[in-house]
């Protein structure tokens, strides 16, 4: 635990939707930087990207 309340987070983002958007951007950037799309056919690469982003309950 970082010792901060969840309300402190909303000083930086407007709402939950904006938070999810920002998190998604970071995840995609990190995955895309590691992925070498030239190694795979585009559908296989996109499938790998989607599975890497898949949220497990």
């Amino acid at each position: 635990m970082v010792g901060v309340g969840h309300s402190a987070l909303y000083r930086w983002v407007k709402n939950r939707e904006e938070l999810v958007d920002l998190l998604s951007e970071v995840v995609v950037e990190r995955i895309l930087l590691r992925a070498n799309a030239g190694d795979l056919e585009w559908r296989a690469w996109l499938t790998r990207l989607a599975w890497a982003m898949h949220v497990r309950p």
Side-chain angles (χ1 to χ4, degrees):
M1 189 113 199
V2 292
V4 228
H6 70 276
S7 60
L9 180 62
Y10 290 105
R11 291 181 189 161
W12 301 100
V13 294
K14 295 177 192 170
N15 53 35
R16 183 179 180 169
E17 184 176 312
E18 185 176 349
L19 176 62
V20 170
D21 286 345
L22 289 171
L23 289 170
S24 297
E25 287 176 23
V26 170
V27 169
V28 168
E29 286 173 4
R30 290 183 181 181
I31 291 171
L32 289 176
L33 288 176
R34 291 183 185 160
N36 187 353
D39 291 345
L40 300 172
E41 189 258 331
W42 73 270
R43 289 179 191 203
W45 178 82
L46 191 57
T47 300
R48 192 172 87 189
L49 176 63
W51 277 108
M53 293 178 60
H54 180 69
V55 177
R56 295 181 182 107

